[in-house]
Amino acid sequence: MYFKSYSPIFFIFFNKNQAVSLTSSGHEQLALDRANDALRSWQESTKIYRQLKDQEGITVSLINQNLAFQALGLHKEACNTLLEALNFNTNLGICDTTLQELALAQKEQLTTLIGKQKATSVSLLGLQNLGEVLRILGKLNESETVLQETLTLAKLVSSSKISDIYLSLGNIEQTIYQQLQDKYSWIEEPLFREQIANIIPQKAQKSLLYYQTLENIPNISKSAKLQAQLNHLTLLISWEKWLTHQPNQPNLRQKVNQQIRVLVNQIDENSSAFLELSSEPSIHARLNLAKRMF
């Protein structure tokens, strides 16, 4: 009886193709809101890449798994998966929401780990995702540390990820700003309220600076610019509303109102980019814009 033999190269080629196919299937499944199926596909592709000892394939598959975990609302699992993808120490405690802010030594360790990363498109993608997940988990200081260090890496290679990182940094500052607004609304102690009222404009301005920097990046895509403009607009609208209850700052409110008018016109000029957004964000953005125009 004749048995056809296959070379090791054939099996490597076959397994690599299978892993690539599973990766593509995962993206298709996630686009169809089948996050569990996508997760299983990417877990299988990770196993194959481990067998092949393909480190880049392993890293990409783990980053993909993080996307599925996020879609399932499992953000802590997504965070730990990204630590594994980046070969970070999972005992660092960065993903643990029960812990307070990282100690100085831990923050320095985190900064060192990021500094040792090679500025490749894959590592930058993993780091940017880590910063975003930490923001969602409410670990805002850790998120900002990760993204600031990632921005430094990205600038070394003029990465296309720079715009995504600026957007994430702007979103972090906007989240901090919103938390301060919420705190201001329920705190009654006058001195503490005054302190918060002084910090709120600082955080708003810092967030706006990140969005404006992103919007002014040369050759930025229309969709990326539009997303920054929409987040920028959301912040300005919120800030203007807050300023209506601050009678001692009429000039600042007028300035913010003028900025809103200018930005609405800029978004209107860039309106073709709405077609590049997925349906839900596009509808939400158009409604928000319409409220300002009419």
Side-chain angles (χ1 to χ4, degrees), residues 200-243:
I200 284 174
Q202 297 173 22
K203 289 300 178 181
Q205 293 284 9
K206 192 172 180 180
S207 181
L208 293 175
L209 179 61
Y210 283 128
Y211 293 141
Q212 290 165 342
T213 302
L214 167 54
E215 291 160 30
N216 293 325
I217 292 175
N219 303 318
I220 187 175
S221 71
K222 281 189 173 184
S223 59
K225 185 173 184 176
L226 177 61
Q227 192 61 66
Q229 289 174 326
L230 293 172
N231 290 19
H232 186 166
L233 179 61
T234 298
L235 176 57
L236 286 175
I237 292 171
S238 173
W239 194 13
E240 183 195 35
K241 185 177 179 180
W242 182 77
L243 286 169

Side-chain angles (χ1 to χ4, degrees), residues 57-180:
I58 295 168
T59 302
V60 171
S61 290
L62 288 170
I63 292 172
N64 286 336
Q65 284 188 43
N66 132 76
L67 298 177
F69 279 126
Q70 287 195 59
L72 292 166
L74 302 172
H75 295 102
K76 187 173 180 180
E77 287 80 354
C79 186
N80 283 315
T81 300
L82 288 166
L83 293 187
E84 185 181 356
L86 295 163
N87 291 315
F88 283 7
N89 183 358
T90 53
N91 294 323
L92 186 61
I94 188 173
C95 300
D96 191 345
T97 55
T98 64
L99 296 177
Q100 297 296 320
E101 183 180 345
L102 290 180
L104 179 60
Q106 292 172 306
K107 187 175 181 179
E108 289 176 351
Q109 185 182 350
L110 177 60
T111 301
T112 300
L113 286 169
I114 297 171
K116 288 180 179 179
Q117 291 283 316
K118 292 182 180 178
T120 65
S121 58
V122 173
S123 64
L124 290 172
L125 177 63
L127 287 166
Q128 197 255 334
N129 270 268
L130 179 60
E132 271 297 301
V133 169
L134 287 168
R135 180 181 69 85
I136 294 168
L137 286 171
K139 311 274 284 188
L140 300 181
N141 290 319
E142 291 85 345
S143 175
E144 187 169 19
T145 296
V146 169
L147 290 167
Q148 286 284 9
E149 295 299 320
T150 305
L151 182 62
T152 300
L153 278 180
K155 286 180 176 179
L156 293 176
V157 291
S158 300
S159 170
S160 60
K161 284 288 165 194
I162 287 175
S163 60
D164 293 335
I165 298 167
Y166 272 121
L167 183 62
S168 294
L169 283 166
N171 292 345
I172 289 171
E173 293 302 328
Q174 186 165 173
T175 301
I176 295 172
Y177 154 85
Q178 194 59 60
Q179 287 183 348
L180 286 169

Side-chain angles (χ1 to χ4, degrees), residues 30-33 222-224 226-227 230 271-287:
L30 191 64
L32 294 170
D33 292 325
K222 281 189 173 184
S223 59
L226 177 61
Q227 192 61 66
L230 293 172
S271 60
S272 61
F274 278 102
L275 299 174
E276 299 180 32
L277 296 178
S278 57
S279 57
E280 186 175 339
S282 179
I283 292 169
H284 177 74
R286 287 174 184 272
L287 287 172

